[in-house]
């Protein structure tokens, strides 16, 4: 029997607050620190590992976190989710994004169909379509090959797929998997669409219109923008556009598209990179095999998340440590810091994934909670972040827990030795240095130069950003967010908080305003 209880009602949570706090600077200094780095590590999929040596935990805290995981029934709740229970209580929906990459439990039947079979069928249709485009069997009206794919979508229909594309672009070029260049149009700012259109040859471009709901203002506006551009170039828009949407959306009924691929209401936008939403653009850009490897990496990580043993379950452990930092240690935010240029937009994807999922003040039954929930998430790739906001991270008045991600190898062949080391070595040296600097600090008589240390971080270490490790990384964070939602007793799968702004914007455009909204409308010349 699963019971959904608020975090502060759990006995193990109360016990957790009584466990002695760890002095991170102390435990990370000297031999003790070296031992922690060796031992405080959990294997992940695709040869990666989650290392939490520099987190503010010790064996006592970990014991208490294990109890919390058990009492909160994290494993059981995950099983309920992948076996098809209505976990998204707000919208009364199943939550099936893991099923797009593998079968974790029972056959899930909804709307009269086997959902795994449905997702695989859509992947297969996308694969056939992409192969035909690459082979020149699907062409523009002049019989010429398409060279560019442009995704039109916003939120989950943009951030994840864009971050994934950027992460694999150079890897694909290096490994002879690069098929088509991809571009993305998301913002309703006309300069976004116009800017992208000015860099491409529309006659040789396929546009992927992606909207789960089929009603998103920005995306429909940008679709019209692109259709105009195609028309102005004397082209038939329906020969250049495909749609990715849910079968129940208004777009699904249109035959304005060269092809349509489907997801459904059980895949949240921010969880949709492994569905047709990411599948179409990534399969066109890199080929269906690369997309399949990406899914396999995610599936392997999803399986690890089933492990009841917290110490062998990286996503669950990461989630528990995060809740400890947020609710017991009182840290307000978390920075995600990939030391990899390939992951330049990964923090942007995680911002949506985490904050749209767990930025809630009421529990899954709609009752206000008496504890803090999702932290503010932000990030930038290292080393760029070091020359930007690390000052505050090292010496600011808030302690910000950090999630580093680092890879031993770069993606391209090109590197140089300057002053005795390669650029890749410099990159890795920096992340190692930062972890120790944050944890241990450095005393100085001059307060301005003093580093107190005690600033916790974890690091995910992998061999290289490739399709499998990227899939695993994506799934790790999705599962971490899911487990945290379970701990906070939230529904992590709806997003009512985005509605009010949309309603008011419509009112402004219809000139139905008064009070402050009216004055702002006038100030902005609407
Ligand atoms: O894919 P769509 O239905 O167009 O939705 C696009 C995005 O817009 C919404 O406002 C939500 O905040 C996002 O979760 C969603 O990903």
């Amino acid at each position: 029997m699963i019971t959904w209880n608020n975090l502060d009602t759990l006995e193990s949570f109360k016990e957790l607050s009584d466990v002695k706090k760890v002095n991170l600077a102390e435990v990370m200094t000297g031999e003790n620190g070296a031992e922690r780095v060796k031992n405080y590590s959990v294997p992940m999929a695709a040869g990666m590992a989650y290392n939490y040596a520099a987190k503010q935990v010790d064996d006592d805290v970990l014991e208490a976190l294990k109890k919390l995981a058990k009492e909160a029934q994290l494993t059981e709740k995950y099983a309920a989710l992948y076996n098809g229970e209505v976990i998204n209580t707000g919208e009364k929906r199943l939550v099936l994004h893991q099923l797009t990459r593998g079968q974790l439990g029972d056959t899930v039947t909804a709307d009269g169909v086997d959902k795994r079979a449905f997702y695989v069928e859509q992947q297969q249709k996308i694969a056939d379509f992409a192969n035909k485009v690459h082979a020149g069997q699907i062409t523009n009206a002049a019989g010429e090959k398409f060279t560019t794919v442009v995704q039109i979508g916003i939120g989950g229909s943009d951030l994840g797929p864009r971050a994934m594309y950027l992460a694999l672009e150079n890897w694909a070029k290096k490994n002879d998997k690069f098929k088509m260049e991809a571009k993305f149009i998301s913002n309703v700012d006309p300069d976004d669409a116009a800017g992208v259109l000015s860099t491409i040859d529309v006659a040789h471009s396929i546009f992927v219109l992606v909207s789960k709901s089929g009603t998103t203002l920005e995306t429909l506006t940008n679709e019209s923008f692109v259709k105009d551009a195609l028309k102005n170039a004397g082209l038939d828009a329906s020969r250049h556009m495909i749609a990715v949407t849910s079968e129940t959306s208004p777009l699904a009924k249109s035959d304005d598209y060269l092809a349509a691929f489907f997801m459904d209401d059980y895949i949240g936008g921010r969880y949709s990179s492994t569905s047709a939403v990411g599948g179409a653009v990534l399969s066109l850009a890199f080929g269906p095999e690369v997309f399949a490897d990406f899914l396999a990496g995610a599936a392997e990580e999803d399986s690890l998340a089933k492990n009841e043993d917290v110490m062998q379950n990286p996503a669950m452990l990461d989630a528990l440590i995060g809740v400890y930092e947020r609710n017991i240690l009182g840290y307000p935010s978390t920075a995600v810091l990939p030391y990899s240029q390939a992951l330049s937009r990964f923090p942007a994807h995680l911002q949506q994934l985490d904050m749209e999922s767990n930025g809630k003040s009421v529990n899954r039954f709609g009752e206000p909670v008496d504890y803090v929930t999702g932290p503010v998430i932000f990030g930038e790739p290292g080393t760029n972040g070091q020359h930007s906001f690390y000052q505050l991270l090292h010496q600011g008045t808030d302690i910000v827990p950090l999630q580093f991600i680092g890879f031993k190898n770069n993606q391209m062949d090109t590197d140089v030795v300057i002053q005795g080391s390669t650029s890749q070595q410099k990159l890795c040296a920096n992340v190692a240095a930062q972890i120790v600097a944050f944890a241990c600090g450095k005393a100085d008589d001059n307060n301005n130069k003093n580093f107190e240390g005690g600033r916790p971080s974890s690091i995910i270490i992998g061999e290289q950003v490739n399709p499998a490790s990227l899939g695993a990384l994506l799934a790790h964070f999705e599962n971490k967010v899911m487990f945290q939602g379970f701990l906070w007793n939230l529904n992590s799968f709806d997003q009512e908080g985005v509605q009010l702004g949309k309603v008011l914007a419509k009112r402004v455009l219809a000139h139905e305003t008064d009070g402050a909204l009216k004055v702002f409308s006038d100030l902005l010349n609407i």
Side-chain angles (χ1 to χ4, degrees), residues 91 215 323 432:
E91 296 172 316
T215 59
V323 167

Side-chain angles (χ1 to χ4, degrees), residues 154-157 210-216 219 269-270 352 356 495 498 502:
I154 198 164
S157 297
V210 188
S211 179
K212 172 178 154 175
S213 61
T215 59
T216 303
T219 302
R270 53 196 175 275
Q352 187 200 9
E356 202 170 67
Q495 55 286 320
V498 304
K502 290 184 193 172

